[in-house]
Short mmCIF file of all heavy atoms in Angstrom, two decimals:
data_model
loop_
_atom_site.label_atom_id
_atom_site.label_comp_id
_atom_site.label_asym_id
_atom_site.label_seq_id
_atom_site.Cartn_x
_atom_site.Cartn_y
_atom_site.Cartn_z
N VAL A 504 -64.20 50.92 -18.58
CA VAL A 504 -63.71 49.56 -18.30
C VAL A 504 -62.38 49.60 -17.55
O VAL A 504 -61.72 50.65 -17.50
CB VAL A 504 -63.52 48.78 -19.63
CG1 VAL A 504 -64.83 48.62 -20.37
CG2 VAL A 504 -62.49 49.45 -20.53
N ASP A 505 -61.99 48.44 -17.00
CA ASP A 505 -60.64 48.36 -16.43
C ASP A 505 -59.67 48.04 -17.57
O ASP A 505 -60.08 47.93 -18.73
CB ASP A 505 -60.59 47.34 -15.28
CG ASP A 505 -60.88 45.91 -15.74
OD1 ASP A 505 -60.81 45.65 -16.97
OD2 ASP A 505 -61.18 45.06 -14.89
N LYS A 506 -58.39 47.84 -17.22
CA LYS A 506 -57.39 47.67 -18.29
C LYS A 506 -57.61 46.42 -19.13
O LYS A 506 -57.13 46.31 -20.25
CB LYS A 506 -55.99 47.65 -17.69
CG LYS A 506 -55.51 49.06 -17.39
CD LYS A 506 -54.04 49.09 -17.03
CE LYS A 506 -53.57 50.52 -16.93
NZ LYS A 506 -52.56 50.73 -15.90
N GLN A 507 -58.36 45.45 -18.55
CA GLN A 507 -58.63 44.22 -19.30
C GLN A 507 -59.90 44.33 -20.13
O GLN A 507 -60.25 43.42 -20.86
CB GLN A 507 -58.77 43.04 -18.33
CG GLN A 507 -57.47 42.52 -17.75
CD GLN A 507 -56.83 43.51 -16.79
OE1 GLN A 507 -57.51 44.07 -15.92
NE2 GLN A 507 -55.54 43.74 -16.97
N GLY A 508 -60.61 45.42 -19.95
CA GLY A 508 -61.83 45.59 -20.74
C GLY A 508 -63.09 45.19 -19.99
O GLY A 508 -64.17 45.16 -20.58
N ASN A 509 -62.98 44.89 -18.68
CA ASN A 509 -64.19 44.56 -17.92
C ASN A 509 -64.88 45.84 -17.49
O ASN A 509 -64.23 46.77 -17.01
CB ASN A 509 -63.84 43.77 -16.64
CG ASN A 509 -62.98 42.58 -16.98
OD1 ASN A 509 -63.37 41.74 -17.78
ND2 ASN A 509 -61.77 42.54 -16.41
N PRO A 510 -66.21 45.88 -17.63
CA PRO A 510 -66.93 47.10 -17.26
C PRO A 510 -66.79 47.44 -15.79
O PRO A 510 -66.79 46.54 -14.94
CB PRO A 510 -68.38 46.78 -17.60
CG PRO A 510 -68.43 45.41 -18.16
CD PRO A 510 -67.06 44.82 -18.16
N MET A 511 -66.65 48.71 -15.50
CA MET A 511 -66.58 49.16 -14.11
C MET A 511 -68.01 49.32 -13.60
O MET A 511 -68.91 49.67 -14.36
CB MET A 511 -65.91 50.53 -14.03
CG MET A 511 -64.52 50.60 -14.57
SD MET A 511 -63.34 49.64 -13.62
CE MET A 511 -63.20 50.64 -12.14
N PRO A 512 -68.22 49.11 -12.30
CA PRO A 512 -69.55 49.36 -11.74
C PRO A 512 -69.87 50.85 -11.86
O PRO A 512 -68.96 51.68 -12.02
CB PRO A 512 -69.41 48.97 -10.27
CG PRO A 512 -68.07 48.33 -10.13
CD PRO A 512 -67.24 48.68 -11.31
N PRO A 513 -71.16 51.22 -11.78
CA PRO A 513 -71.55 52.63 -11.89
C PRO A 513 -70.76 53.52 -10.93
O PRO A 513 -70.42 53.08 -9.82
CB PRO A 513 -73.03 52.63 -11.52
CG PRO A 513 -73.49 51.24 -11.73
CD PRO A 513 -72.31 50.34 -11.57
N ASN A 514 -70.46 54.71 -11.39
CA ASN A 514 -69.79 55.74 -10.60
C ASN A 514 -68.33 55.42 -10.25
O ASN A 514 -67.74 56.10 -9.43
CB ASN A 514 -70.56 56.05 -9.32
CG ASN A 514 -71.91 56.65 -9.65
OD1 ASN A 514 -72.04 57.42 -10.60
ND2 ASN A 514 -72.91 56.26 -8.89
N GLN A 515 -67.78 54.38 -10.85
CA GLN A 515 -66.36 54.12 -10.58
C GLN A 515 -65.54 54.47 -11.80
O GLN A 515 -65.91 54.17 -12.93
CB GLN A 515 -66.17 52.67 -10.20
CG GLN A 515 -66.78 52.42 -8.85
CD GLN A 515 -66.14 51.27 -8.12
OE1 GLN A 515 -65.04 50.82 -8.46
NE2 GLN A 515 -66.83 50.79 -7.11
#
Side-chain angles (χ1 to χ4, degrees):
V504 298
D505 64 16
K506 280 190 172 145
Q507 285 68 46
N509 308 303
M511 301 294 288
N514 296 323
Q515 291 206 17

